[in-house]
Amino acid sequence: MSQGSCLALAASALLSAAIVAAVHIQQRRELERLRTGVVRDLERQNQKKENIRLLEEQIALTKQLMEERDKALMEKQSQQS
């Protein structure tokens, strides 16, 4: 083989190897990005559940407070009568 054809063959082999390596690296990054997306979604879902639980707790406490306030007002009105 001539020196020019050997050089062309080596260059094309190196270029092919670089392209294959770049594609593999890109696929790994994409896979990692997808995995972190799933983890973030799960964290958001857990946070949403926690927020809903806290909201329900606050609603229950507000109802209890209003009932106690109404009860105290009724007792105060009955004492005044």
Side-chain angles (χ1 to χ4, degrees):
M1 263 210 258
S2 69
Q3 191 176 9
S5 61
C6 281
L7 235 115
L9 178 63
S12 65
L14 284 174
L15 182 62
S16 296
I19 290 172
V20 168
V23 168
H24 282 291
I25 290 170
Q26 183 181 7
Q27 284 178 341
R28 279 193 219 124
R29 287 180 182 163
E30 180 82 15
L31 185 62
E32 184 62 32
R33 192 173 56 87
L34 289 173
R35 284 182 180 153
T36 57
V38 170
V39 169
R40 277 187 279 130
D41 286 345
L42 291 173
E43 288 172 355
R44 270 191 236 127
Q45 287 176 357
N46 289 336
Q47 185 63 44
K48 186 175 180 179
K49 287 177 186 177
E50 178 67 14
N51 289 344
I52 290 172
R53 186 191 66 77
L54 290 172
L55 179 62
E56 289 172 349
E57 187 178 316
Q58 284 294 322
I59 290 171
L61 289 171
T62 301
K63 279 184 182 180
Q64 181 183 357
L65 180 65
M66 292 176 79
E67 287 172 0
E68 289 175 5
R69 184 190 66 188
D70 291 344
K71 185 178 176 183
L73 286 174
M74 295 278 274
E75 289 176 0
K76 189 176 182 181
Q77 285 178 354
S78 66
Q79 288 176 355
Q80 289 178 355
S81 301

